[in-house]
Amino acid sequence: MRILLSNDDGYFAPGIACLADALQGLGEIIVVAPERDRSGASNSLTLDRPLSLRQAPNGFYFVNGTPTDCVHLAVTGMLDKLPDMVISGINHGANMGDDTVYSGTVAAATEGYLLGIPAIAVSLVGKEASHFATAGQVVRQLAERFINNPVREPVLLNVNVPDLPHAALAGVQVTRLGKRHKAEPVVPITSPRNETMYWVGAAGAAQDAGEGTDFHAVAAGFASITPLQVDLTHQQQLPRIRSWLAQ
């Protein structure tokens, strides 16, 4: 079993170290992560400059690019054979609902999925980030399930785990993505040169957070597992757009 790990918080982040520790003994663990925090990088791929691959003293590899770059470089150039799984995380903070569109954590897993490899994105939901080990245990159990009962097709799972001791978890629920309200406005600041600059505003509160959503599951103390797909085609609108163009 060969497992490729990445993230969007950087190779030095405590979450990826915890993830690597949690998966020890399951096979060969390879870490290729960004050299700095690339949260919110989404699925961006660096095409305007070459990328460097270096190794840190702890054995982790790091790339001067995005989370997608890291997985793409590892799978298509660095490794002599494909990994059996790609796991991204453990992210500090939720990746639920609309967050998945922007998330570099989800993007790293998505790149593995697009390359035909089963992939998991895992995030710890909470401001304090006190229980990375809980998320690590949840992911290890999923990885063991992959080993003992392989999925017949590539799968992309988005996992969000409450920041609780493992014994306090209510269990695991398979969910759909919820939806947030509109994001908060940007926050203007004044630079030392008296220029107006802007911080992107905080994510909006949960809007669609009813039973069956990732928001609902995590709020109730469950680890949420959402299977994702990448097909952006709005199937229901195909006949409407054909009719609209024919008018």
Side-chain angles (χ1 to χ4, degrees), residues 2 5 14 21 23 37 48 53 75 77 91 94 114 118 125 133 155 162 169 172 188 197 202 220 223 230 234:
R2 170 180 275 191
L5 305 186
D21 288 342
L23 297 172
D37 188 344
D48 61 345
L53 175 70
V75 173
N91 189 65
L114 291 173
V125 183
V155 63
L169 273 184
V172 173
M197 304 177 73
V230 184
H234 195 318

Side-chain angles (χ1 to χ4, degrees), residues 116-153:
I117 304 165
I120 300 173
V122 56
S123 303
L124 185 67
V125 183
K127 294 182 179 180
E128 300 300 324
S130 301
H131 299 96
F132 278 116
T134 300
Q137 290 183 65
V138 171
V139 174
R140 182 183 177 93
Q141 290 165 359
L142 288 173
E144 289 173 339
R145 187 175 291 271
F146 269 106
I147 294 171
N148 297 325
N149 185 20
V151 180
R152 299 298 180 184
E153 60 186 77

